[in-house]
Structures are given as structure tokens and as C-alpha cells.
Amino acid sequence: MPLTIAMDGPVGAGKSTIADAVAQRLNILHLDTGAMYRAIGVGVMDRGGNIYNEEEVCALLEKELRVSVAYENGCQKTLLCGEDVSRRIRTQEAGTAASAVSRYARVRKAMVALQQDIAKKQSILMDGRDIGTVVLPNATVKIYLTASDEVRATRRMNQLREKGDETPFETILEEVRARDYQDMNREVTPLRRADDAILVDSSLLTFDETVQAILDIVEAHHAE
Ligand code: DC
């Protein structure tokens, strides 16, 4: 039986990096589904489209935005019309665009189908917002990874500082809260914890402790 792990949670909870480490330890693939919505956001902006115009975004998606993923040495590459956009999708602007376009039902439907197709083929750990609720409702293990707003904003600030970005803490905290609001209050499959997801609050845990906590949960489920 393939192992499927669904990991959801709000922005800045460290899902992607934690998921990468957990998947590596378990020797399974990690699919970062946020990257796919980011690629669509970037694709729309590249073409001068308006991310807040649902019709425009959906028309572009159907006509010319082809999102796919490939793996190189176990690492995910996100492709837009065959072009590797893995780096370009990591900006704050791409995150905001992803959050906007991910509200549209047609965008979600297309991405969910792609994600389910990838999961059919192998053991996988997927991280996102709707994995435990929609994409993999029968996942072997579901994790809801979160941390307090302040901790998430502090982590984001530290990442930005490393890149020489001096955005003030208050601004980052506001952005974190605005994104939470948008992701949790959209009409189509908003972010929420699946009833059977196990809550992991990483506010007081180090990176390694969080990875270990998740590995322990996976092991306990496997042993059942
Ligand atoms: O995890 P992330 O920050 O890369 O995700 C970017 C945006 O994409 C996020 O604000 C909401 C959206 N998203 C989603 O709606 N469903 C997912 N499964 C993953 C991301």
C-alpha cells in the first residue's frame, strides 16, 4: 500500500521545509501544491492579466497556462508551459497572486485533478491547504501544522532578513494575518483542519523537533 501523508496549515508554518525533511527521512516524494498555484499566479502576471479577475484567470488557465511538476534527485521542479519557474514563484508577490487565483473554483478543480493523479502513482507527502479535506481525503496520515501568528511572522522576517529585506515586523505580521484571512474565508474549500487531522503546533518546537514529532505520528499510524 502506498503511504500518503496530507499536510495542511496556514502560511509561514514551515510546511514546505518541514515536509521536505519528513519526506526525505521516509524516502518518499514531497509535492508542494502551493507551488502550483504560485505558478498560475506568475503566469497570469507575466501575461499582463489581472489576478483578481476570475474570468480572465480561468480563460488564461484553460488556453495557455500549463502547470506540471518534475523531480530531479527527489527535488520538485515546478514548470509553467515547460519552463522551470521554481525560483521565480518564491517571491512575496507570487504568494499573494497564488492566494488570489486559488480562490477560483476552476483553478482549484484543475490543480486538484493534477495532484490526485500524481498521488496515484507513488507514496507521497503533499502539503497545502486542502490536502486532508479534498485532495487526499483517505490519506494514511493527516497533519495540520500551525504556529502562532507572531512566531510565523518572526520566521518569515528572519528569512527575509537573510535576503537583505528589511520589511518591518508589523508589516509582515499584517501580511501573515491577511493571507490567513483570505485562505480561511474564501468560498471554495477554505483552509481548515480536517476532522481526522492531527494538530502539530510548532510555536515552541525547533525545526528538528517538529520533523521528529511528525515522524513519530506517521510511525504510530503505520504500526496500527
Ligand atoms: O503554501 P504557499 O504559501 O506556497 O501557497 C500559496 C497560496 O496558494 C496560498 O496562499 C493558498 C494557495 N494554496 C491553496 O489554496 N491550496 C493549496 N493546496 C496550496 C496553496
Side-chain angles (χ1 to χ4, degrees):
M1 272 285 281
L3 171 66
T4 48
I5 305 175
M7 191 186 289
D8 293 296
V11 66
K15 284 190 309 292
S16 260
T17 39
I18 297 283
D20 247 347
V22 171
Q24 225 171 48
R25 291 277 296 272
L26 295 170
N27 202 17
I28 62 175
L29 283 188
H30 164 216
L31 178 66
D32 168 357
T33 61
M36 300 165 85
Y37 294 95
R38 284 171 181 263
I40 295 174
V42 164
V44 171
M45 291 190 297
D46 278 354
R47 286 158 182 80
N50 177 359
I51 52 169
Y52 298 105
N53 183 325
E54 180 167 3
E55 276 314 309
E56 209 173 303
V57 170
C58 293
L60 276 172
L61 176 73
E62 275 141 37
K63 267 196 236 124
E64 48 184 302
L65 299 180
R66 195 167 36 84
V67 174
S68 57
V69 295
Y71 286 89
E72 209 172 73
N73 303 322
C75 267
Q76 175 179 337
K77 283 202 301 187
T78 307
L79 309 173
L80 178 65
C81 303
E83 182 204 339
D84 185 356
V85 291
S86 310
R87 274 176 180 274
R88 289 187 55 217
I89 59 174
R90 288 298 143 211
T91 62
Q92 188 79 7
E93 198 189 10
T96 304
S99 184
V101 301
S102 70
R103 290 179 306 172
Y104 309 141
R106 276 143 76 193
V107 170
R108 302 207 67 81
K109 197 166 165 230
M111 291 306 106
V112 168
L114 251 172
Q115 292 152 11
Q116 289 177 330
D117 196 48
I118 295 169
K120 263 192 222 141
K121 298 176 188 144
Q122 62 248 306
S123 287
I124 200 155
L125 188 168
M126 251 190 232
D127 85 88
R129 305 291 193 285
D130 59 342
I131 310 302
T133 51
V134 177
V135 182
L136 301 174
N138 300 316
T140 324
V141 185
K142 296 182 188 177
I143 308 282
Y144 191 85
L145 181 66
T146 190
S148 71
D149 303 358
E150 288 78 8
V151 167
R152 290 186 287 128
T154 304
R155 289 180 187 157
R156 180 134 297 216
M157 184 180 71
N158 293 339
Q159 281 170 354
L160 291 174
R161 293 286 180 276
E162 275 173 27
K163 291 191 237 158
D165 182 326
E166 297 295 324
T167 308
F169 177 77
E170 281 307 320
T171 309
I172 299 171
L173 183 62
E174 263 172 41
E175 280 168 5
V176 163
R177 288 180 172 154
R179 185 98 83 84
D180 282 353
Y181 185 84
Q182 185 154 310
D183 292 346
M184 290 173 179
N185 292 283
R186 68 175 177 229
E187 273 172 38
V188 193
T189 57
L191 167 64
R192 75 170 178 84
R193 177 181 165 192
D195 297 334
D196 51 351
I198 298 164
L199 181 77
V200 175
D201 184 334
S202 72
S203 302
L204 300 174
L205 301 180
T206 63
F207 180 85
D208 289 343
E209 286 168 346
T210 310
V211 170
Q212 194 54 51
I214 294 171
L215 286 170
D216 290 346
I217 293 168
V218 173
E219 198 177 317
H221 269 70
H222 242 6
E224 268 174 11

